[in-house]
Amino acid sequence: MVPLPPVGYPTRWEADVVLRDGGTAHVRPIRPSDAELVAAFHSRQSEESRYLRFFAPMPRLSSRDLERFTNVDHVDRVALVATVGEDIVGIARFDAAPARDGSRRAAEVAFNISDAHQGRGLGSVLLEHLAAAARERGIRRFTADVLPQNAKMIGVFREAGFEVRQGYSDGVLEVAFDIDPTERSVDVMRAREQRAEARSVQALLSPSSVVVVGASRTPGSVGHRLLADVVTGGFSGAVHAVNADAEPGELLLGVPVVRSVRDLPGPVDLAVVAVPAASVAATVTDCASTGVRGLVVVSSGFAETGPQGLALQREVVRIARANGMRVVGPNSYGVVNTDPAVRLNASLYADMPPAGRFGLFSQSGALAVAVLSSAERRGLGLSTFVSAGNRADVSGNDLMQFWLDHEGTDAVGLYLESVGNPRKFSRVARALARKKPVVVVKSGASGFGVPPGHAVRASRAPFEAVDSMLRQAGVVRVENVHQLFDVAQVAVHQPLPEGARVAIVGNSDALGTLAADACVSWGLQVAHGPVAVPPYAGVETFTAALEAAFADPGVDAVVASWVPPTPEVDPVVAAAVARTAAAGAKTTVTCFLGTRTVSAAVAGAVEPGAADAPADVPVVPSYPTPEDAVRALAAVVRYAQWRRRDPGHPLAPEGVDLRAARALVERELAAAGDAAAEGVELDAERTQALLATAGIDLLVRAEVRSVDEAVRAAERLGWPVALKTVGEELAGRQDLRGVRLGISNPSALAEAVADMRQVFGRAADVLAVQRMAGLGVPCQVRSTEDPLFGPVVSFGVEGDPLDLMGDVAYRIPPLTDVDVAELVRSVKAAPKLFGHRGSPVLDVDALEDVVARVAVLADALPEVAELRLSPVLVSEEGARVLGASVTLAPPQGRADPDRRTLPT
């Protein structure tokens, strides 16, 4: 077992959680000082609830009971409480049974949920957190005695996804289940997480009432601008305003003003806060007392200013979450919902953006202006917009959870300055991208610089891991905001292309050539054209050429270009393109040279905003250059190809014993004691044992210090053998003469030993003898536990591709079989495995099996700080692991843990 920390309060078990209805609660270990709160909780419970918990009437808890319930050792006796505000609303506990040799350690559990908070999902949340604490203490099984009429508690156990077994004795149901996560229990947890987080965002974006706190009388001020935008945007609900200097009966922009949130006539759903940073915490406390459900904090002066600001920011979030509220910001530009039933413009952007079906998220408050302006300039309508500012609470992950099932959003764009939880981002983005295009601008390509105010763990992973994560998740990565909207115009207004075959039609040979060159550059196939009608040709001739392209069964998408004779777009041509594209039902992009507007074709069909404009008027995106049009089209083609591909199946290689692997790891870390913090490098025997639990066979080798030892080892292992150096820099390097192959007798072995020692000197004092594995291509498979990403699996072909070119590919577990296949094929040197220049086709299936086993082991055991298989020799029949090293370290806690929790 991993050494237990000193018996005391386990702060790491504290967590903020989102409940089923979108509200929040705080989960923490129980404290002796909770006695009064527990007594108050018990007194509020109904007689029936008390009976179901204690199997007897118990109107009050005695002092002895309270002492026993609140004084636990956090090891064998553990209790967690859920709190909202100052009240305990749920209690979960376990008492561990004595350990028995050869059996899984078990604990008896009990739950008690406040009557006033039934139906909010507290039972399932507490079960997840209690199970995680139990696993940390070496407990792998829960038991419980439940009265048959307590259907809710039995439902919590069954619906959690565990395999529940039950018996019946003396009128009581005896329930038992293993608590190791299963595929079903994880799926259940993730589905609950998605629904809860989506509802929490829904509450922020679709409130029935809004209060602007810090509403100012001064035009042009932040507080005045926010109130004006809410009012002029046509918000459908009730609007309130708070100004500390308000006069009785005062109206501001027609809205009644009061001095404090506490003076409001009733509960309010959303508070938009624009007061000085030092006053925000008090304002949030006031909001909590009046039942506010969500906060948008526009105020600045928090983590972006330094440590004191960070402490203040954390206090604001702590108060909000403890009282059931989510927070957008601080330092936010605001939120927008263009739904006609809501019409919320709680932002600093003066005009309500046009309604549409594109969801937009921006971390940067400063860039929010540019983002919204660009969308408006192009006529690209938005469904919703959120500026996260410092991203202290609500993040892009929350918005993606919301957009997953939001019927008013067809595509999503995110401007990210940092990714606080890459594992969760990858998981959530992949689920969303399976239904809707996700376009991402990720700044910071020059390094891992984190903007001021963003709390992000340090990372040792290379920046390429970010790109790999985005590709793995199926998102469309673009370089800047312009490209984001270029792609969005296609994603929102055009059908997804069926393939990469493109037709090019225009009225200029030069534009046609530019478009064709761009297609080739971006990996598209020019299947029709380029066709160029004469520059003087009329719209009928151009339309006929377009219709021929759309009618071609070998075409999946059309690039239409037109050089107008005047600076203005010819509305007749634009209308023709729009009608023809709509009739052709194929992805279409246009280039009206020198213009960039999504509504170019629409403007030719009808006047924008005309009373007789149909709702389904065709829209074809237009770009100022053919290159821009093709780049956007190519991005959507790649996305469509990813979406059509089989997503694969979660990895489940045969013969993997994670229970044995976990036991070995815990045993080695326990034996290392305090030194484990610096990392524990496993010796050859234990490395081989750990790999064996994952079904990976390591070809035995013997380390020798003399010729006699080398010969004896060769006799034991079997001739022919290989002789290798064991140093990090030289091991396996044939080009540096660090390995001798095909040694078939003692004299040749003695000569090889002498030669190596002459070349390498003291670096060859210890050498390794290993049985020959045959010929093949050496590869490297590696996993590292990163503080930010969690496990990162990498692959490369050894030799010059890896050492000189840095030809390495990365993936973030958990992986599917398709992820593994793409990982192996994504390195530039991959052709060496598939018969390059007449060489034999190698057993890539066997290589993928090794990669899969490493990925499963790395995903399950965060204690595996680094695992490297080098080389993995891939031959025509099999993949042999010739060398391996493993370093263990106490886990630091992953950003996406095995229980629902909000980031801290």
Side-chain angles (χ1 to χ4, degrees), residues 333 363-370:
Y333 195 75
Q363 286 180 349
S364 169
L367 275 178
V369 183

Side-chain angles (χ1 to χ4, degrees), residues 493-513:
H493 294 295
Q494 291 294 301
L496 291 179
E498 294 294 327
R501 302 169 301 176
V502 177
I504 299 173
V505 179
N507 69 339
S508 164
D509 289 318
L511 285 187
T513 300

Side-chain angles (χ1 to χ4, degrees), residues 460 783-786 861-867 887-889:
R460 296 185 296 268
S783 76
T784 57
E785 182 71 19
D786 185 75
L861 297 175
E863 297 88 349
V864 179
E866 181 173 6
L867 184 156
T887 301
L888 307 179

Side-chain angles (χ1 to χ4, degrees), residues 333-664:
Y333 195 75
V335 301
V336 174
N337 184 353
T338 65
D339 184 343
V342 180
R343 290 195 59 81
L344 173 66
N345 181 15
S347 78
L348 294 170
Y349 195 70
D351 300 318
M352 170 70 83
R357 305 189 66 81
F358 187 55
L360 192 55
F361 172 86
S362 173
Q363 286 180 349
S364 169
L367 275 178
V369 183
V371 168
L372 290 174
S373 297
S374 184
E376 184 176 16
R377 189 168 56 251
R378 294 166 181 251
L380 181 62
L382 303 182
S383 63
T384 45
F385 165 78
V386 172
S387 164
N390 290 1
R391 191 177 47 76
D393 180 21
V394 172
S395 70
N397 290 340
D398 294 296
L399 268 296
M400 288 192 292
Q401 299 276 42
F402 167 73
W403 282 320
L404 180 67
D405 296 320
H406 187 238
E407 294 182 357
T409 301
D410 290 339
V412 166
L414 300 98
Y415 179 89
L416 304 178
E417 295 180 302
S418 65
V419 182
N421 189 341
R423 271 172 70 84
K424 183 173 181 178
F425 179 92
S426 178
R427 168 171 60 83
V428 174
R430 180 183 289 213
L432 178 58
R434 283 288 166 197
K435 296 179 67 175
K436 304 173 182 181
V438 180
V439 190
V440 172
V441 181
K442 172 63 180 75
S443 64
S446 58
F448 276 104
V450 177
H454 287 217
V456 179
R457 298 183 183 194
S459 175
R460 296 185 296 268
F463 191 78
E464 289 79 8
V466 176
D467 281 333
S468 298
M469 175 195 71
L470 296 176
R471 283 196 300 271
Q472 181 180 339
V475 307
V476 179
R477 168 77 182 273
V478 294
E479 296 177 358
N480 51 53
V481 172
H482 289 301
Q483 292 180 15
L484 182 148
F485 287 113
D486 283 350
V487 176
Q489 292 179 190
V490 185
V492 171
H493 294 295
Q494 291 294 301
L496 291 179
E498 294 294 327
R501 302 169 301 176
V502 177
I504 299 173
V505 179
N507 69 339
S508 164
D509 289 318
L511 285 187
T513 300
L514 289 174
D517 289 346
C519 286
V520 173
S521 176
W522 286 104
L524 303 179
Q525 176 188 352
V526 179
H528 183 106
V531 174
V533 302
Y536 52 82
V539 67
E540 296 81 5
T541 304
F542 185 55
T543 300
L546 281 175
E547 290 173 344
F550 281 109
D552 187 341
V555 167
D556 302 306
V558 175
V559 177
S561 59
W562 181 266
V563 180
T566 64
E568 292 77 22
V569 175
D570 187 337
V572 177
V573 176
V577 173
R579 287 193 300 268
T580 308
K586 293 180 180 179
T587 314
T588 308
V589 294
T590 66
C591 169
F592 287 87
L593 195 64
T595 68
R596 184 193 292 273
T597 168
V598 73
S599 58
V602 178
V606 294
E607 283 297 321
D612 60 345
D616 58 349
V617 63
V619 177
V620 179
S622 182
Y623 303 88
T625 70
E627 293 89 344
D628 288 344
V630 172
R631 182 180 58 218
L633 174 62
V636 176
V637 166
R638 289 194 300 271
Y639 164 72
Q641 291 171 335
W642 174 86
R643 188 159 147 179
R644 282 194 300 270
R645 282 201 299 268
D646 178 7
H649 303 282
L651 296 176
E654 294 182 0
V656 176
D657 189 347
L658 292 178
R659 188 179 303 176
R662 185 176 291 108
L664 187 154

Side-chain angles (χ1 to χ4, degrees), residues 73 104 145 237 424 430 474 802 846:
D73 60 12
R104 309 197 83 190
D145 291 340
K424 183 173 181 178
R430 180 183 289 213
L802 191 63

Side-chain angles (χ1 to χ4, degrees), residues 177-198:
F177 52 94
D178 290 346
I179 59 173
D180 283 334
T182 65
E183 183 177 343
R184 181 166 176 261
S185 71
V186 171
D187 287 345
V188 168
M189 180 181 68
R190 300 307 187 206
R192 287 172 169 169
E193 173 194 65
Q194 186 272 324
R195 289 193 296 269
E197 292 178 356

